Amino acid sequence: MAMEDSLGSGVELEWAIVYWGLRRAGFTFPQIQKRHDKLQPYSNQISKEAQQNVDAIEKAYGKKALSTIKHADEADIQLPPGIPEPKTDVLFKDNGKYITCSVKMSGTGYQLTSAEGKTSAKILITALEEATNITPKEKKRIIQVIEEIRDLPTKMLDPKNLVKAKKERPNIVKEILGRGSNIPKQKDYQYWKKHTKETLMEGLEAVMEIDQFKNAVIKEALTGQGMFGKNSLAAAKFILVGGEIKPIDSNLIRQIGNKTKIDVRSKARKGITSLALRIEAPS
C-alpha cells in the first residue's frame, strides 16, 4: 500500500473508518477502490481501531447509516477563505440528515488546534464572540493576546538549522538576512524563545483561566460551528474515538477543559521555522 507512507496515522484512521464502514454495509473492495484510492484498511492497528469506531456508529445508528458514510474530502465541503480544512473528518446520514464527526486516535488525547498565528487568531476571536459574561476588562486582555497570536512570525531562522535552510530554502534565507550574515533579532527563533515566549505564555495562560472564554475556545476548536455555521457540513457535532461516538456537548467540553494544555511551539520545514499555537488535552 504505497499510499500509507504519505499519510499520517490520524488521516489513515479517518479513511479506514470509511473503508470498513462501507465493507460492513456490503460494498466490495473493487467498488470501494473505484471511489477513492485512499479508501484502504491500512495497518493492523489502524484497521482494528477503525472497526471499533464503525461498531460504535452501527450500534448508535444502524447498518443503513454505514452505507452513506464518506470522508470529508469526498463531500465537496465549501470552506471560508483562508481556512484550510473542515473540523469534520467523517460523515454519514441518519434519517436523511448528516451526522458530522471529528476523528481522534485513542490514547493520544484531544488536539484542539495546532495552527499558525492568523488561523489560530480566527479561532480565538470567534470563541470570544461566542463567549458569554465576559467583562470589558477581560475582553480587553483577551483581544490583546489574540493580536499577539495573530502576529506570530511565520518565517524565522533557528541558528541550529541555518545550514539546512541555506541549502533547501536559499531565497527565504536571503530575504531574512538581507545583506548581512547575522539573523535579525525579530527573525531569530532562539532569541524569540528566550526573550518573548515567556511573556506571551503568561498572557495566554491568564486568559485561558477565564472559564467562559476557555470553554468557548474548546467548543470552537472542536466543532468550528462559529466559523463555519452550525448547519455547515464542515462543523463537527460528534467525536469518534476509541470505539465511542460522543456528542460535543457541555459535558465533553467541561471534561476536556479540566486538563487543557496550551503552548506556542515551533514548526520547522526545510530549515525555516514558523510559530503555531497548540492547544491539547491529554487522555
Side-chain angles (χ1 to χ4, degrees):
M1 297 176 188
M3 187 67 65
E4 267 189 87
D5 295 334
S6 62
L7 301 177
S9 297
V11 178
E12 289 180 358
L13 178 60
E14 297 164 12
W15 285 100
I17 289 170
V18 179
Y19 171 85
W20 283 112
L22 293 172
R23 288 300 300 269
R24 187 81 58 87
F27 289 81
T28 65
F29 182 77
Q31 287 174 323
I32 295 170
Q33 281 287 284
K34 283 181 181 179
R35 198 166 108 176
H36 203 295
D37 60 3
K38 290 181 183 176
L39 286 169
Q40 302 180 30
Y42 295 98
S43 68
N44 289 339
Q45 181 180 353
I46 293 291
S47 186
K48 179 180 179 181
E49 187 165 342
Q51 290 181 75
Q52 290 171 346
N53 285 310
V54 170
D55 290 342
I57 295 171
E58 184 176 4
K59 182 178 180 181
Y61 297 97
K63 187 170 288 188
K64 184 178 179 181
L66 298 179
S67 67
T68 67
I69 196 167
K70 63 177 68 176
H71 192 277
D73 287 358
E74 301 178 280
D76 192 28
I77 295 174
Q78 301 300 310
L79 299 174
I83 305 300
E85 59 186 19
K87 291 297 181 180
T88 297
D89 298 312
V90 169
L91 60 164
F92 55 89
K93 282 185 176 180
D94 177 53
N95 292 324
K97 182 180 179 180
Y98 272 114
I99 306 296
T100 55
C101 303
S102 173
V103 175
K104 307 293 183 185
M105 294 197 71
S106 62
T108 61
Y110 296 90
Q111 180 175 301
L112 306 181
T113 184
S114 181
E116 293 181 347
K118 289 184 179 180
T119 300
S120 292
K122 287 180 181 179
I123 294 172
L124 298 179
I125 198 69
T126 302
L128 178 59
E129 292 169 354
E130 295 289 319
T132 57
N133 299 320
I134 299 290
T135 68
K137 184 177 180 180
E138 289 172 335
K139 185 174 182 179
K140 184 178 180 180
R141 287 167 57 200
I142 292 168
I143 289 173
Q144 182 180 350
V145 169
I146 291 173
E147 289 173 347
E148 292 175 6
I149 293 297
R150 181 197 62 201
D151 295 335
L152 285 174
T154 57
K155 292 180 182 178
M156 304 181 80
L157 289 172
D158 186 332
K160 298 176 182 178
N161 294 329
L162 186 55
V163 172
K164 181 178 182 179
K166 284 181 176 179
K167 181 180 178 181
E168 299 194 25
R169 303 298 292 271
N171 291 338
I172 295 179
V173 173
K174 185 177 181 180
E175 176 188 328
I176 293 174
L177 296 182
R179 295 184 179 181
S181 58
N182 295 323
I183 304 172
K185 289 180 180 178
Q186 68 272 24
K187 294 291 186 178
D188 186 328
Y189 168 68
Q190 292 297 334
Y191 183 89
W192 177 89
K193 185 177 179 181
K194 182 177 180 180
H195 296 279
T196 305
K197 181 175 180 178
E198 183 177 352
T199 302
L200 175 59
M201 289 305 304
E202 287 175 354
L204 263 173
E205 289 166 357
V207 299
M208 287 296 282
E209 288 178 0
I210 302 169
D211 284 340
Q212 297 92 331
F213 179 63
K214 177 180 68 176
N215 291 339
V217 170
I218 293 170
K219 180 180 179 181
E220 182 60 24
L222 287 174
T223 69
Q225 287 183 5
M227 194 176 301
F228 301 128
K230 291 182 179 179
N231 296 321
S232 170
L233 294 183
K237 294 184 178 180
F238 292 81
I239 282 181
L240 269 174
V241 59
E244 293 184 85
I245 183 165
K246 302 178 180 181
I248 302 173
D249 56 15
S250 58
N251 289 332
L252 181 63
I253 290 168
R254 185 165 52 250
Q255 172 191 336
I256 292 173
N258 290 334
K259 50 187 178 181
T260 297
K261 294 184 178 181
I262 189 165
D263 197 5
V264 175
R265 298 182 185 176
S266 63
K267 291 184 175 182
R269 297 183 182 90
K270 297 185 177 181
I272 304 300
T273 297
S274 65
L275 300 176
L277 174 66
R278 185 178 179 93
I279 306 175
E280 59 188 354
S283 57

mmCIF file of all heavy atoms in Angstrom, residues 139-180:
data_model
loop_
_atom_site.group_PDB
_atom_site.id
_atom_site.type_symbol
_atom_site.label_atom_id
_atom_site.label_comp_id
_atom_site.label_asym_id
_atom_site.label_seq_id
_atom_site.Cartn_x
_atom_site.Cartn_y
_atom_site.Cartn_z
ATOM 1 N N LYS A 139 -12.318 41.203 28.279
ATOM 2 C CA LYS A 139 -12.336 41.264 26.812
ATOM 3 C C LYS A 139 -11.119 42.005 26.282
ATOM 4 O O LYS A 139 -10.502 41.587 25.291
ATOM 5 C CB LYS A 139 -13.623 41.946 26.332
ATOM 6 C CG LYS A 139 -13.785 41.947 24.826
ATOM 7 C CD LYS A 139 -15.146 42.503 24.422
ATOM 8 C CE LYS A 139 -15.318 42.452 22.908
ATOM 9 N NZ LYS A 139 -16.647 42.977 22.493
ATOM 10 N N LYS A 140 -10.760 43.093 26.936
ATOM 11 C CA LYS A 140 -9.590 43.867 26.516
ATOM 12 C C LYS A 140 -8.328 43.027 26.601
ATOM 13 O O LYS A 140 -7.488 43.045 25.683
ATOM 14 C CB LYS A 140 -9.462 45.116 27.391
ATOM 15 C CG LYS A 140 -8.321 46.040 26.980
ATOM 16 C CD LYS A 140 -8.301 47.276 27.866
ATOM 17 C CE LYS A 140 -7.140 48.199 27.452
ATOM 18 N NZ LYS A 140 -7.101 49.420 28.306
ATOM 19 N N ARG A 141 -8.179 42.269 27.690
ATOM 20 C CA ARG A 141 -6.998 41.397 27.850
ATOM 21 C C ARG A 141 -6.975 40.311 26.780
ATOM 22 O O ARG A 141 -5.931 40.005 26.204
ATOM 23 C CB ARG A 141 -7.016 40.739 29.240
ATOM 24 C CG ARG A 141 -6.693 41.678 30.383
ATOM 25 C CD ARG A 141 -7.044 41.046 31.712
ATOM 26 N NE ARG A 141 -6.359 39.771 31.911
ATOM 27 C CZ ARG A 141 -6.771 38.854 32.790
ATOM 28 N NH1 ARG A 141 -7.875 39.059 33.496
ATOM 29 N NH2 ARG A 141 -6.093 37.742 32.942
ATOM 30 N N ILE A 142 -8.132 39.718 26.516
ATOM 31 C CA ILE A 142 -8.220 38.637 25.529
ATOM 32 C C ILE A 142 -7.856 39.155 24.136
ATOM 33 O O ILE A 142 -7.103 38.516 23.402
ATOM 34 C CB ILE A 142 -9.631 38.012 25.532
ATOM 35 C CG1 ILE A 142 -9.874 37.255 26.844
ATOM 36 C CG2 ILE A 142 -9.804 37.064 24.343
ATOM 37 C CD1 ILE A 142 -11.320 36.863 27.058
ATOM 38 N N ILE A 143 -8.391 40.325 23.770
ATOM 39 C CA ILE A 143 -8.103 40.900 22.449
ATOM 40 C C ILE A 143 -6.617 41.179 22.292
ATOM 41 O O ILE A 143 -6.023 40.945 21.227
ATOM 42 C CB ILE A 143 -8.930 42.181 22.233
ATOM 43 C CG1 ILE A 143 -10.410 41.808 22.054
ATOM 44 C CG2 ILE A 143 -8.432 42.952 21.010
ATOM 45 C CD1 ILE A 143 -11.341 43.002 21.999
ATOM 46 N N GLN A 144 -5.977 41.665 23.352
ATOM 47 C CA GLN A 144 -4.537 41.924 23.300
ATOM 48 C C GLN A 144 -3.750 40.640 23.013
ATOM 49 O O GLN A 144 -2.841 40.617 22.190
ATOM 50 C CB GLN A 144 -4.061 42.540 24.618
ATOM 51 C CG GLN A 144 -2.578 42.873 24.626
ATOM 52 C CD GLN A 144 -2.122 43.486 25.954
ATOM 53 O OE1 GLN A 144 -2.947 43.824 26.810
ATOM 54 N NE2 GLN A 144 -0.817 43.616 26.127
ATOM 55 N N VAL A 145 -4.141 39.550 23.680
ATOM 56 C CA VAL A 145 -3.474 38.267 23.469
ATOM 57 C C VAL A 145 -3.734 37.751 22.049
ATOM 58 O O VAL A 145 -2.826 37.251 21.378
ATOM 59 C CB VAL A 145 -3.940 37.227 24.513
ATOM 60 C CG1 VAL A 145 -3.452 35.826 24.147
ATOM 61 C CG2 VAL A 145 -3.428 37.608 25.901
ATOM 62 N N ILE A 146 -4.973 37.897 21.585
ATOM 63 C CA ILE A 146 -5.309 37.448 20.227
ATOM 64 C C ILE A 146 -4.458 38.179 19.196
ATOM 65 O O ILE A 146 -3.971 37.583 18.228
ATOM 66 C CB ILE A 146 -6.811 37.652 19.942
ATOM 67 C CG1 ILE A 146 -7.643 36.696 20.792
ATOM 68 C CG2 ILE A 146 -7.120 37.434 18.454
ATOM 69 C CD1 ILE A 146 -9.150 36.929 20.701
ATOM 70 N N GLU A 147 -4.260 39.472 19.387
ATOM 71 C CA GLU A 147 -3.436 40.251 18.458
ATOM 72 C C GLU A 147 -1.994 39.746 18.457
ATOM 73 O O GLU A 147 -1.338 39.694 17.402
ATOM 74 C CB GLU A 147 -3.495 41.734 18.818
ATOM 75 C CG GLU A 147 -4.852 42.367 18.509
ATOM 76 C CD GLU A 147 -4.969 43.789 19.021
ATOM 77 O OE1 GLU A 147 -4.107 44.215 19.830
ATOM 78 O OE2 GLU A 147 -5.942 44.484 18.632
ATOM 79 N N GLU A 148 -1.492 39.373 19.619
ATOM 80 C CA GLU A 148 -0.130 38.843 19.699
ATOM 81 C C GLU A 148 -0.034 37.488 18.997
ATOM 82 O O GLU A 148 0.959 37.199 18.324
ATOM 83 C CB GLU A 148 0.297 38.719 21.164
ATOM 84 C CG GLU A 148 0.475 40.064 21.859
ATOM 85 C CD GLU A 148 0.789 39.916 23.339
ATOM 86 O OE1 GLU A 148 0.975 38.776 23.795
ATOM 87 O OE2 GLU A 148 0.839 40.945 24.033
ATOM 88 N N ILE A 149 -1.065 36.665 19.137
ATOM 89 C CA ILE A 149 -1.099 35.374 18.444
ATOM 90 C C ILE A 149 -1.184 35.581 16.937
ATOM 91 O O ILE A 149 -0.495 34.924 16.152
ATOM 92 C CB ILE A 149 -2.284 34.520 18.940
ATOM 93 C CG1 ILE A 149 -2.085 34.103 20.403
ATOM 94 C CG2 ILE A 149 -2.473 33.281 18.060
ATOM 95 C CD1 ILE A 149 -0.888 33.221 20.644
ATOM 96 N N ARG A 150 -2.037 36.509 16.524
ATOM 97 C CA ARG A 150 -2.200 36.799 15.086
ATOM 98 C C ARG A 150 -0.871 37.189 14.442
ATOM 99 O O ARG A 150 -0.608 36.847 13.286
ATOM 100 C CB ARG A 150 -3.209 37.938 14.915
ATOM 101 C CG ARG A 150 -3.489 38.336 13.473
ATOM 102 C CD ARG A 150 -4.144 39.695 13.431
ATOM 103 N NE ARG A 150 -3.254 40.719 13.991
ATOM 104 C CZ ARG A 150 -3.661 41.891 14.462
ATOM 105 N NH1 ARG A 150 -4.937 42.187 14.489
ATOM 106 N NH2 ARG A 150 -2.784 42.767 14.951
ATOM 107 N N ASP A 151 -0.034 37.891 15.190
ATOM 108 C CA ASP A 151 1.209 38.424 14.641
ATOM 109 C C ASP A 151 2.410 37.491 14.838
ATOM 110 O O ASP A 151 3.559 37.913 14.620
ATOM 111 C CB ASP A 151 1.511 39.790 15.271
ATOM 112 C CG ASP A 151 0.462 40.839 14.893
ATOM 113 O OD1 ASP A 151 -0.178 40.673 13.839
ATOM 114 O OD2 ASP A 151 0.283 41.807 15.660
ATOM 115 N N LEU A 152 2.165 36.243 15.238
ATOM 116 C CA LEU A 152 3.280 35.302 15.390
ATOM 117 C C LEU A 152 4.020 35.159 14.052
ATOM 118 O O LEU A 152 3.392 34.984 13.008
ATOM 119 C CB LEU A 152 2.770 33.931 15.836
ATOM 120 C CG LEU A 152 2.327 33.781 17.292
ATOM 121 C CD1 LEU A 152 1.705 32.402 17.506
ATOM 122 C CD2 LEU A 152 3.501 33.989 18.240
ATOM 123 N N PRO A 153 5.349 35.216 14.066
ATOM 124 C CA PRO A 153 6.110 35.107 12.810
ATOM 125 C C PRO A 153 5.941 33.742 12.142
ATOM 126 O O PRO A 153 5.807 32.716 12.812
ATOM 127 C CB PRO A 153 7.567 35.286 13.268
ATOM 128 C CG PRO A 153 7.488 35.975 14.584
ATOM 129 C CD PRO A 153 6.227 35.487 15.220
ATOM 130 N N THR A 154 5.911 33.747 10.825
ATOM 131 C CA THR A 154 5.802 32.503 10.056
ATOM 132 C C THR A 154 7.081 32.176 9.300
ATOM 133 O O THR A 154 7.212 31.078 8.767
ATOM 134 C CB THR A 154 4.641 32.577 9.051
ATOM 135 O OG1 THR A 154 4.837 33.710 8.193
ATOM 136 C CG2 THR A 154 3.306 32.724 9.775
ATOM 137 N N LYS A 155 7.997 33.130 9.246
ATOM 138 C CA LYS A 155 9.285 32.884 8.590
ATOM 139 C C LYS A 155 10.399 33.350 9.518
ATOM 140 O O LYS A 155 10.688 34.534 9.621
ATOM 141 C CB LYS A 155 9.379 33.621 7.256
ATOM 142 C CG LYS A 155 8.445 33.103 6.180
ATOM 143 C CD LYS A 155 8.621 33.902 4.883
ATOM 144 C CE LYS A 155 7.654 33.427 3.814
ATOM 145 N NZ LYS A 155 7.782 34.231 2.568
ATOM 146 N N MET A 156 10.992 32.367 10.226
ATOM 147 C CA MET A 156 12.087 32.656 11.146
ATOM 148 C C MET A 156 13.230 31.691 10.862
ATOM 149 O O MET A 156 13.048 30.661 10.192
ATOM 150 C CB MET A 156 11.631 32.495 12.605
ATOM 151 C CG MET A 156 10.441 33.319 13.003
ATOM 152 S SD MET A 156 10.006 33.092 14.757
ATOM 153 C CE MET A 156 11.213 34.170 15.529
ATOM 154 N N LEU A 157 14.372 32.021 11.414
ATOM 155 C CA LEU A 157 15.530 31.145 11.300
ATOM 156 C C LEU A 157 15.992 30.741 12.692
ATOM 157 O O LEU A 157 16.095 31.578 13.591
ATOM 158 C CB LEU A 157 16.676 31.844 10.558
ATOM 159 C CG LEU A 157 16.476 32.070 9.060
ATOM 160 C CD1 LEU A 157 17.598 32.942 8.506
ATOM 161 C CD2 LEU A 157 16.414 30.745 8.314
ATOM 162 N N ASP A 158 16.234 29.473 12.856
ATOM 163 C CA ASP A 158 16.862 28.953 14.065
ATOM 164 C C ASP A 158 18.334 28.753 13.726
ATOM 165 O O ASP A 158 18.653 28.052 12.755
ATOM 166 C CB ASP A 158 16.210 27.622 14.451
ATOM 167 C CG ASP A 158 16.708 27.093 15.785
ATOM 168 O OD1 ASP A 158 17.862 27.393 16.158
ATOM 169 O OD2 ASP A 158 15.948 26.355 16.436
ATOM 170 N N PRO A 159 19.252 29.378 14.468
ATOM 171 C CA PRO A 159 20.680 29.205 14.153
ATOM 172 C C PRO A 159 21.079 27.735 13.994
ATOM 173 O O PRO A 159 21.974 27.424 13.201
ATOM 174 C CB PRO A 159 21.369 29.843 15.357
ATOM 175 C CG PRO A 159 20.398 30.872 15.839
ATOM 176 C CD PRO A 159 19.041 30.275 15.616
ATOM 177 N N LYS A 160 20.397 26.839 14.714
ATOM 178 C CA LYS A 160 20.722 25.415 14.625
ATOM 179 C C LYS A 160 20.392 24.839 13.241
ATOM 180 O O LYS A 160 20.961 23.817 12.841
ATOM 181 C CB LYS A 160 19.954 24.634 15.699
ATOM 182 C CG LYS A 160 20.306 25.029 17.130
ATOM 183 C CD LYS A 160 19.439 24.269 18.121
ATOM 184 C CE LYS A 160 19.745 24.673 19.548
ATOM 185 N NZ LYS A 160 18.860 23.974 20.528
ATOM 186 N N ASN A 161 19.443 25.477 12.542
ATOM 187 C CA ASN A 161 19.006 24.967 11.240
ATOM 188 C C ASN A 161 19.457 25.837 10.071
ATOM 189 O O ASN A 161 18.990 25.656 8.949
ATOM 190 C CB ASN A 161 17.464 24.870 11.207
ATOM 191 C CG ASN A 161 16.938 23.845 12.184
ATOM 192 O OD1 ASN A 161 17.592 22.847 12.473
ATOM 193 N ND2 ASN A 161 15.737 24.089 12.700
ATOM 194 N N LEU A 162 20.360 26.780 10.339
ATOM 195 C CA LEU A 162 20.719 27.752 9.309
ATOM 196 C C LEU A 162 21.364 27.101 8.091
ATOM 197 O O LEU A 162 21.053 27.458 6.945
ATOM 198 C CB LEU A 162 21.658 28.808 9.899
ATOM 199 C CG LEU A 162 22.021 29.981 8.979
ATOM 200 C CD1 LEU A 162 20.761 30.668 8.456
ATOM 201 C CD2 LEU A 162 22.914 30.981 9.717
ATOM 202 N N VAL A 163 22.234 26.131 8.312
ATOM 203 C CA VAL A 163 22.909 25.461 7.190
ATOM 204 C C VAL A 163 21.878 24.761 6.303
ATOM 205 O O VAL A 163 21.908 24.864 5.066
ATOM 206 C CB VAL A 163 23.966 24.456 7.695
ATOM 207 C CG1 VAL A 163 24.525 23.635 6.530
ATOM 208 C CG2 VAL A 163 25.093 25.193 8.413
ATOM 209 N N LYS A 164 20.938 24.062 6.938
ATOM 210 C CA LYS A 164 19.890 23.366 6.189
ATOM 211 C C LYS A 164 19.019 24.356 5.437
ATOM 212 O O LYS A 164 18.655 24.137 4.271
ATOM 213 C CB LYS A 164 19.040 22.537 7.155
ATOM 214 C CG LYS A 164 17.933 21.752 6.464
ATOM 215 C CD LYS A 164 17.151 20.920 7.474
ATOM 216 C CE LYS A 164 16.063 20.101 6.778
ATOM 217 N NZ LYS A 164 15.299 19.273 7.752
ATOM 218 N N ALA A 165 18.674 25.457 6.083
ATOM 219 C CA ALA A 165 17.815 26.454 5.444
ATOM 220 C C ALA A 165 18.494 27.069 4.225
ATOM 221 O O ALA A 165 17.855 27.285 3.190
ATOM 222 C CB ALA A 165 17.453 27.538 6.451
ATOM 223 N N LYS A 166 19.786 27.357 4.334
ATOM 224 C CA LYS A 166 20.522 27.937 3.201
ATOM 225 C C LYS A 166 20.535 26.978 2.011
ATOM 226 O O LYS A 166 20.493 27.408 0.856
ATOM 227 C CB LYS A 166 21.952 28.267 3.622
ATOM 228 C CG LYS A 166 22.071 29.514 4.486
ATOM 229 C CD LYS A 166 23.529 29.781 4.848
ATOM 230 C CE LYS A 166 23.675 31.090 5.621
ATOM 231 N NZ LYS A 166 25.079 31.356 6.011
ATOM 232 N N LYS A 167 20.580 25.690 2.312
ATOM 233 C CA LYS A 167 20.622 24.688 1.247
ATOM 234 C C LYS A 167 19.253 24.468 0.611
ATOM 235 O O LYS A 167 19.137 24.388 -0.618
ATOM 236 C CB LYS A 167 21.155 23.365 1.815
ATOM 237 C CG LYS A 167 21.262 22.246 0.789
ATOM 238 C CD LYS A 167 21.806 20.974 1.436
ATOM 239 C CE LYS A 167 21.877 19.831 0.411
ATOM 240 N NZ LYS A 167 22.389 18.577 1.044
ATOM 241 N N GLU A 168 18.208 24.388 1.458
ATOM 242 C CA GLU A 168 16.888 23.999 0.953
ATOM 243 C C GLU A 168 15.962 25.177 0.643
ATOM 244 O O GLU A 168 15.060 25.050 -0.186
ATOM 245 C CB GLU A 168 16.214 23.046 1.945
ATOM 246 C CG GLU A 168 17.003 21.757 2.167
ATOM 247 C CD GLU A 168 16.192 20.690 2.871
ATOM 248 O OE1 GLU A 168 14.953 20.730 2.779
ATOM 249 O OE2 GLU A 168 16.796 19.825 3.516
ATOM 250 N N ARG A 169 16.154 26.306 1.320
ATOM 251 C CA ARG A 169 15.304 27.480 1.066
ATOM 252 C C ARG A 169 16.166 28.743 0.953
ATOM 253 O O ARG A 169 15.992 29.702 1.715
ATOM 254 C CB ARG A 169 14.269 27.638 2.193
ATOM 255 C CG ARG A 169 13.371 26.435 2.409
ATOM 256 C CD ARG A 169 12.510 26.099 1.210
ATOM 257 N NE ARG A 169 11.511 27.090 0.937
ATOM 258 C CZ ARG A 169 10.284 27.088 1.472
ATOM 259 N NH1 ARG A 169 9.935 26.133 2.325
ATOM 260 N NH2 ARG A 169 9.420 28.009 1.155
ATOM 261 N N PRO A 170 17.110 28.770 0.016
ATOM 262 C CA PRO A 170 18.063 29.894 -0.075
ATOM 263 C C PRO A 170 17.402 31.247 -0.293
ATOM 264 O O PRO A 170 17.882 32.261 0.232
ATOM 265 C CB PRO A 170 18.948 29.505 -1.262
ATOM 266 C CG PRO A 170 18.145 28.528 -2.054
ATOM 267 C CD PRO A 170 17.335 27.781 -1.053
ATOM 268 N N ASN A 171 16.321 31.300 -1.045
ATOM 269 C CA ASN A 171 15.668 32.586 -1.321
ATOM 270 C C ASN A 171 15.059 33.196 -0.064
ATOM 271 O O ASN A 171 15.141 34.416 0.152
ATOM 272 C CB ASN A 171 14.589 32.415 -2.391
ATOM 273 C CG ASN A 171 15.176 32.115 -3.752
ATOM 274 O OD1 ASN A 171 16.348 32.425 -4.022
ATOM 275 N ND2 ASN A 171 14.378 31.525 -4.637
ATOM 276 N N ILE A 172 14.456 32.338 0.772
ATOM 277 C CA ILE A 172 13.871 32.840 2.015
ATOM 278 C C ILE A 172 14.961 33.287 2.976
ATOM 279 O O ILE A 172 14.839 34.321 3.648
ATOM 280 C CB ILE A 172 12.968 31.765 2.664
ATOM 281 C CG1 ILE A 172 11.765 31.481 1.772
ATOM 282 C CG2 ILE A 172 12.507 32.207 4.054
ATOM 283 C CD1 ILE A 172 10.820 30.423 2.315
ATOM 284 N N VAL A 173 16.057 32.532 3.033
ATOM 285 C CA VAL A 173 17.182 32.922 3.892
ATOM 286 C C VAL A 173 17.730 34.277 3.453
ATOM 287 O O VAL A 173 18.007 35.156 4.287
ATOM 288 C CB VAL A 173 18.295 31.849 3.853
ATOM 289 C CG1 VAL A 173 19.528 32.336 4.607
ATOM 290 C CG2 VAL A 173 17.788 30.541 4.459
ATOM 291 N N LYS A 174 17.868 34.469 2.157
ATOM 292 C CA LYS A 174 18.365 35.739 1.629
ATOM 293 C C LYS A 174 17.418 36.877 1.987
ATOM 294 O O LYS A 174 17.844 37.983 2.346
ATOM 295 C CB LYS A 174 18.518 35.640 0.111
ATOM 296 C CG LYS A 174 19.150 36.869 -0.529
ATOM 297 C CD LYS A 174 19.331 36.652 -2.028
ATOM 298 C CE LYS A 174 19.982 37.881 -2.671
ATOM 299 N NZ LYS A 174 20.161 37.693 -4.132
ATOM 300 N N GLU A 175 16.127 36.594 1.904
ATOM 301 C CA GLU A 175 15.120 37.597 2.264
ATOM 302 C C GLU A 175 15.228 37.988 3.734
ATOM 303 O O GLU A 175 15.095 39.160 4.097
ATOM 304 C CB GLU A 175 13.734 37.009 1.971
ATOM 305 C CG GLU A 175 12.567 37.877 2.382
ATOM 306 C CD GLU A 175 11.235 37.141 2.238
ATOM 307 O OE1 GLU A 175 11.098 36.293 1.340
ATOM 308 O OE2 GLU A 175 10.326 37.428 3.053
ATOM 309 N N ILE A 176 15.479 37.010 4.600
ATOM 310 C CA ILE A 176 15.567 37.267 6.048
ATOM 311 C C ILE A 176 16.868 37.973 6.407
ATOM 312 O O ILE A 176 16.880 38.934 7.186
ATOM 313 C CB ILE A 176 15.422 35.954 6.837
ATOM 314 C CG1 ILE A 176 14.004 35.389 6.680
ATOM 315 C CG2 ILE A 176 15.732 36.177 8.323
ATOM 316 C CD1 ILE A 176 13.804 34.022 7.296
ATOM 317 N N LEU A 177 17.966 37.503 5.858
ATOM 318 C CA LEU A 177 19.283 38.036 6.221
ATOM 319 C C LEU A 177 19.589 39.368 5.542
ATOM 320 O O LEU A 177 20.372 40.173 6.066
ATOM 321 C CB LEU A 177 20.380 37.028 5.864
ATOM 322 C CG LEU A 177 20.365 35.694 6.608
ATOM 323 C CD1 LEU A 177 21.546 34.843 6.174
ATOM 324 C CD2 LEU A 177 20.395 35.897 8.121
ATOM 325 N N GLY A 178 18.991 39.588 4.370
ATOM 326 C CA GLY A 178 19.331 40.802 3.620
ATOM 327 C C GLY A 178 20.780 40.761 3.184
ATOM 328 O O GLY A 178 21.274 39.746 2.692
ATOM 329 N N ARG A 179 21.442 41.827 3.403
ATOM 330 C CA ARG A 179 22.865 41.895 3.010
ATOM 331 C C ARG A 179 23.805 41.437 4.119
ATOM 332 O O ARG A 179 25.015 41.321 3.910
ATOM 333 C CB ARG A 179 23.222 43.323 2.603
ATOM 334 C CG ARG A 179 22.476 43.798 1.346
ATOM 335 C CD ARG A 179 22.935 45.175 0.943
ATOM 336 N NE ARG A 179 22.258 45.631 -0.275
ATOM 337 C CZ ARG A 179 22.488 46.807 -0.858
ATOM 338 N NH1 ARG A 179 23.372 47.641 -0.315
ATOM 339 N NH2 ARG A 179 21.836 47.135 -1.951
ATOM 340 N N GLY A 180 23.262 41.187 5.281
ATOM 341 C CA GLY A 180 24.100 40.783 6.406
ATOM 342 C C GLY A 180 24.261 39.274 6.495
ATOM 343 O O GLY A 180 23.707 38.516 5.697
#
